[in-house]
Every structure is written in C-alpha cells, then in structure tokens.
Amino acid sequence: IQISDNWPGYSLDLFTYPQHYYGDLEYVLIPHGIIVDRTERLAKDIMQDIGDNDIVVLCVLKGGYKFCADLVEHFKNLSRNSERFISMKVDFVRLKSYHNDQSMQDMQIMGGDDLSKLAGKVSFLCVLLTLFFLFYKDIVGTGRTMKVLLNNIEKYKPKMIKVASLLVKRTSRPDGYRPDYYGFEIPDLFVVGYALDYNEHFRDLNHICVINDHGKTKYRV
C-alpha cells in the first residue's frame, strides 16, 4: 500500500491516544486498525510462499516487537487452521542506530542467543522502517543497517532468508534495500508509534503518527 507524499493524514481528534502526548504529534499517518488488517494479510502471503518449511523468526528490537508479535500470532492462527503444521522458533536481536531523529555513524548489534541455529533453516526477519533507512545529516543511507545484519546472518548459511517490514520509507535513491514483504510505503517522514520510538518515547502509541517539532524538542536528549 502506497501512501502519497501529499497525503494529509487523519486528524488526531478522530482517535484516542495517550494524553501525555497531546501537543507532540502532527497527525495520524496509519490508524491501528489498518495496521492490524494489513499485518494479517502479510501473514497469509508469507505462509503461502514458505510452504512446508519450518521457520526461525528473528525479531529486530526494539522497534519491531509489536509487528513481530502480531505477525507471529497470525502465523500461529493460520497454522492451527490448516492441514499443515509449521514449526516456528523466535529469537531477538537489537540494533541501535539513532540519536534523536538522526542516525549514528556506527551501528550496534546486540542479542541473539546462538545464530548458528539458523543453519539450514528458513530465517524470517521482522523489522520496521527505522532499521531500513538511515539519515546521516543530508545524506540518505538506504538499507545500510539491514545489509549489515543480513551479512552477519548469511555466514551461518540458512536455507532461506526473507525479510518483512511493516513500513518502507520512500526516498530518492532507487538502489535502496527493499524487503521481501512490507505493509506500507510511506513518505520521507519521521514517524512514531506501534513500537517505533523517539528516544524511547511513543512506543505506547498504537497508531503510527508523525511527530511535530514540539515533540522532538520535548524529548530530545
């Protein structure tokens, strides 16, 4: 689903959201209900494509945890209601690459119990937009973070690697990384909510919203 650059979004007055964020947001870009429906559709497409392969779901924290949890729940429901049972394991890694709304030059990869267990498996990454498109002042580094993570995983020679992202940011770089599955292509905006944060704030916001300048100043570190 493509959200155009001139999409005005939804008025905040139409939705409920935590009162402590009043005055910190511009508008709702994607309401929670639409996120839920789109995630269910992604789960159906993914399950159809992977066939009878068992999978290891590697969730990228922290921004990916809600998307991963919802996607895995749909996987489980689809598996229960079908004639085939898909064995599924879940692991977690954390990538730290942002300071305020700017990305840092160096990226840290933390966690993951033992990635060697991915050998010969279908590895499935659940990630979110901020892990794909990073900003270095006036330079857009499309996909750098994801490519670093994939290089680390590929050395264990998994049977297959598929990447799912709820969001992909539209940039002027045509050679940027594109996940195998994604829910929404959005404009070049800094968004929060649905576990996407700004300095650890807004993770408790169910909708995906655009943060305003007041919010950035209020929570800047």
Side-chain angles (χ1 to χ4, degrees):
I1 297 176
Q2 290 189 347
I3 299 177
S4 65
D5 289 340
N6 58 0
W7 166 240
Y10 298 93
S11 170
L12 292 163
D13 295 335
L14 299 174
F15 301 91
T16 58
Y17 61 100
Q19 187 173 356
H20 49 271
Y21 295 139
Y22 283 16
D24 300 332
L25 302 167
E26 286 285 348
Y27 55 85
V28 175
L29 184 69
I30 311 174
H32 183 250
I34 297 177
I35 297 171
V36 171
D37 284 356
R38 181 67 180 129
T39 302
E40 182 177 8
R41 179 66 209 200
L42 285 177
K44 289 180 179 179
D45 291 343
I46 293 164
M47 289 289 280
Q48 182 177 356
D49 290 347
I50 65 174
D52 294 327
N53 289 291
D54 295 336
I55 62 175
V56 176
V57 178
L58 186 61
C59 176
V60 181
L61 299 173
K62 297 181 183 176
Y65 82 86
K66 285 182 71 68
F67 177 52
C68 180
D70 288 348
L71 200 62
V72 166
E73 191 62 30
H74 288 308
F75 286 159
K76 288 161 58 179
N77 290 336
L78 289 167
S79 181
R80 279 193 214 103
N81 296 319
S82 70
E83 296 179 354
R84 59 191 176 93
F85 175 77
I86 301 297
S87 175
M88 180 169 51
K89 297 180 180 178
V90 181
D91 201 355
F92 303 88
V93 295
R94 184 182 178 190
L95 307 184
K96 188 172 179 60
S97 57
Y98 267 81
H99 180 77
N100 294 320
D101 60 346
Q102 302 295 317
S103 70
M104 300 181 293
Q105 184 64 37
D106 297 323
M107 183 192 67
Q108 297 172 289
I109 301 177
M110 298 166 281
D113 290 339
D114 181 9
L115 296 183
S116 64
K117 68 185 179 184
L118 300 178
K121 304 278 187 175
V122 175
S123 177
F124 196 82
L125 307 185
C126 297
V127 294
L128 280 179
L129 155 107
T130 52
L131 306 178
F132 284 138
F133 301 98
L134 309 179
F135 299 87
Y136 300 95
K137 298 179 180 177
D138 58 339
I139 301 173
V140 179
T142 54
R144 173 183 169 272
T145 306
M146 183 51 56
K147 290 173 183 175
V148 171
L149 178 59
L150 290 176
N151 286 339
N152 275 270
I153 294 172
E154 284 172 352
K155 66 184 180 182
Y156 296 106
K157 302 187 184 320
K159 181 177 180 180
M160 183 192 313
I161 300 176
K162 295 291 184 181
V163 178
S165 172
L166 180 64
L167 306 176
V168 169
K169 183 178 289 187
R170 186 164 50 251
T171 74
S172 59
R173 290 279 300 276
D175 58 339
Y177 178 83
R178 304 290 284 191
D180 300 287
Y181 306 93
Y182 61 91
F184 304 90
E185 180 183 286
I186 69 171
D188 187 2
L189 300 167
F190 194 89
V191 294
V192 294
Y194 196 69
L196 285 171
D197 76 304
Y198 178 79
N199 293 330
E200 296 300 326
H201 296 277
F202 300 100
R203 294 197 195 276
D204 55 338
L205 178 65
N206 285 330
H207 314 295
I208 292 177
C209 300
V210 176
I211 187 174
N212 61 23
D213 290 338
H214 176 269
K216 290 180 181 180
T217 300
K218 180 178 177 180
Y219 298 110
R220 190 177 298 276
V221 296

